[in-house]
Amino acid sequence: MAWEEWEQLKSAAAERHPTHMQLNQLPADPGGSTGGNTAGGAGTLKHSHGPWMRAAGAADDLRTSTGNAKTDLSSAHDGVGSGAAGLTSLGALRSVLASWEKRLGAVRDECDALGPKLRQVAQDMGEVDVEVAAQADSVKVTGTGKGE
């Protein structure tokens, strides 16, 4: 295929399917206000402790349930060794039990560490919100009647 023919094919394709640029954004308000959305500095962006605290609660619940599962799993295997003496699968059963106890313990320990960290994030973000709000309120904007 000659170069000229290739250029003609590209040109014809471009005419059939012109490229368009589209920005994914909220439609502009013709009045110039932001209409209550957070785009454009409407002042409605606020931090909420809720998601962080729910995540911390979920970590606590998971810590408790994995701890209980580990205890239940261990007690369910009590006496298996004496009742299954001589079975070749006893070694594999003990290995699986040890593996699950280790995994459940790791999940429990991770959740134990994660809960307080999530609560701390909620607290820290709230403190940052207060600090940023105070700094923003101290800015004088002329011509708006605000801060003058």
Side-chain angles (χ1 to χ4, degrees):
M1 177 183 298
W3 183 257
E4 293 81 24
E5 186 180 3
W6 172 248
E7 289 298 324
Q8 288 174 352
L9 289 171
K10 285 189 343 184
S11 177
E15 288 174 10
R16 286 191 307 269
H17 304 288
T19 58
H20 297 284
M21 180 188 294
Q22 177 181 346
L23 299 176
N24 291 330
Q25 63 186 27
L26 295 171
D29 182 11
S33 74
T34 56
N37 64 46
T38 57
T44 58
L45 181 61
K46 299 208 186 274
H47 164 71
S48 170
H49 289 74
W52 298 102
M53 297 306 285
R54 282 192 301 276
D60 291 344
D61 292 345
L62 187 56
R63 182 200 68 224
T64 300
S65 66
T66 53
N68 291 341
K70 183 178 178 202
T71 301
D72 291 347
L73 183 64
S74 296
S75 63
H77 283 81
D78 286 346
V80 169
S82 62
L87 292 176
T88 57
S89 61
L90 186 58
L93 183 61
R94 286 184 180 142
S95 175
V96 169
L97 172 62
S99 173
W100 274 105
E101 286 177 332
K102 180 179 176 183
R103 292 167 196 240
L104 289 169
V107 169
R108 183 202 57 221
D109 294 346
E110 184 65 26
C111 290
D112 193 40
L114 189 57
K117 290 175 184 173
L118 291 167
R119 285 183 188 81
Q120 187 64 50
V121 168
Q123 180 180 341
D124 292 348
M125 294 293 288
E127 290 171 4
V128 167
D129 282 354
V130 170
E131 183 179 320
V132 169
Q135 289 175 1
D137 288 343
S138 71
V139 174
K140 293 185 187 260
V141 180
T142 58
T144 64
K146 191 175 184 181
E148 294 183 84

